[in-house]
Amino acid sequence: MRVALFVACFDDALFPATGRAVTALLERLGHDVSYPPGQTCCGQVHWTTGYHREAAGLARAFTAAFEGAEAIVAPSASCAAAVRDAYPRIARAARDAALARAAEDLAVYELTEFLVDVLGVTDVGAYFPHRVTYHPSCQSARILGVADRPLRLLRAVKGLDLVELPAADECCGFGGAFAMKNADVSVAMVADKVRHVRDTGADVVCAVDNGCLAHIGGALSRLRGGVRVMHLAEILATTGPA
């Protein structure tokens, strides 16, 4: 299958290894991966902070960049949710029927959805001999409904010891602009999340959104507890010692 890689601007700027991991993983599974160069920010932050005109402009650019793609795969549940859930509302707010039609034609998948639902695989041939816990980001759980797909993929990784995260469904406190506008609340929320992560005894906490991992990882680093954060794609792409 020909796959168009959609790399969130947050990942592109701060976590480039994630996009490389998705490419390596999908190519290992026998698929042709391309990176449409016209892609920019999907406009999620603009839309959620009230910059609706700017969000519409970015949505138009996004639909143009990915026009005709057989499948669009993103290692960001948050951004995939923005395209699938917010673009129809952005188009309505802008009274742009052409944008609405273009958005409807996009086949956008979060990575674990694509692997499990489209490709029908859970064992991707990964090897990762570490104790791992999984944080389900709010957008992945509440907007996309990825449910247990990430866990099914993790359970199939050879050598991986998957441990349940207490209060996993609680938000980590990132929420994009939320962490800046409500800093005190955000800090309290991530303190709870980090306590639960440390209670698992895990070596690694993973997720499908790097925004959450940046927030959790920052709090963990200040405690110097030795717990790493990794995007799920990076674990799935690993086939040897890591």
Side-chain angles (χ1 to χ4, degrees):
M1 181 179 290
R2 292 181 60 82
V3 178
L5 179 61
F6 163 30
V7 177
C9 51
F10 188 84
D11 291 356
D12 186 46
L14 299 176
F15 297 93
T18 299
R20 292 196 294 268
V22 176
T23 302
L25 171 62
L26 293 177
E27 288 181 344
R28 190 173 78 223
L29 294 175
H31 301 281
D32 182 11
V33 182
S34 64
Y35 179 84
Q39 62 180 288
T40 60
C41 175
C42 68
Q44 175 188 191
V45 175
H46 303 73
W47 173 252
T48 57
T49 52
Y51 292 90
H52 292 179
R53 184 177 62 182
E54 291 79 3
L58 289 166
R60 293 185 191 103
F62 184 95
T63 56
F66 286 95
E67 183 180 8
E70 182 179 2
I72 304 164
V73 176
S76 168
S78 179
C79 292
V83 175
R84 279 179 17 199
D85 181 67
Y87 274 21
R89 292 183 285 136
I90 291 172
R92 285 195 298 271
R95 299 181 180 179
D96 189 334
L99 175 58
R101 289 192 298 271
E104 187 177 351
D105 288 341
L106 296 176
V108 180
Y109 303 95
E110 180 272 328
L111 175 64
T112 67
E113 293 180 310
F114 183 71
L115 292 170
V116 176
D117 297 346
V118 179
L119 300 185
V121 298
T122 51
D123 187 345
V124 298
Y127 173 72
F128 192 78
H130 299 281
R131 188 175 177 90
V132 177
T133 194
Y134 168 71
H135 162 67
S137 64
C138 294
Q139 296 280 37
S140 70
R142 294 167 176 77
I143 304 298
L144 292 184
V146 302
D148 69 341
R149 295 173 183 86
L151 296 173
R152 289 162 66 185
L153 289 158
L154 287 168
R155 291 186 189 114
V157 175
K158 294 176 178 62
L160 189 147
D161 178 15
L162 181 63
V163 290
E164 184 177 354
L165 179 64
D169 61 348
E170 292 183 3
C171 178
C172 72
F174 178 62
F178 176 87
M180 293 178 281
K181 292 183 175 182
N182 303 276
D184 291 343
V185 176
S186 176
V187 168
M189 293 171 74
V190 78
D192 287 342
K193 180 63 65 174
V194 165
R195 175 167 49 83
H196 293 313
V197 168
R198 298 184 78 193
D199 285 346
T200 67
D203 307 311
V204 175
V205 54
C206 72
V208 295
D209 275 295
N210 274 325
C212 296
L213 291 175
H215 195 50
I216 295 168
L220 284 168
S221 69
R222 288 188 286 276
L223 296 174
R224 299 186 180 182
V227 184
R228 289 189 289 162
V229 296
M230 289 183 70
H231 193 284
L232 179 63
E234 295 172 57
I235 292 176
L236 298 180
T238 302
T239 57

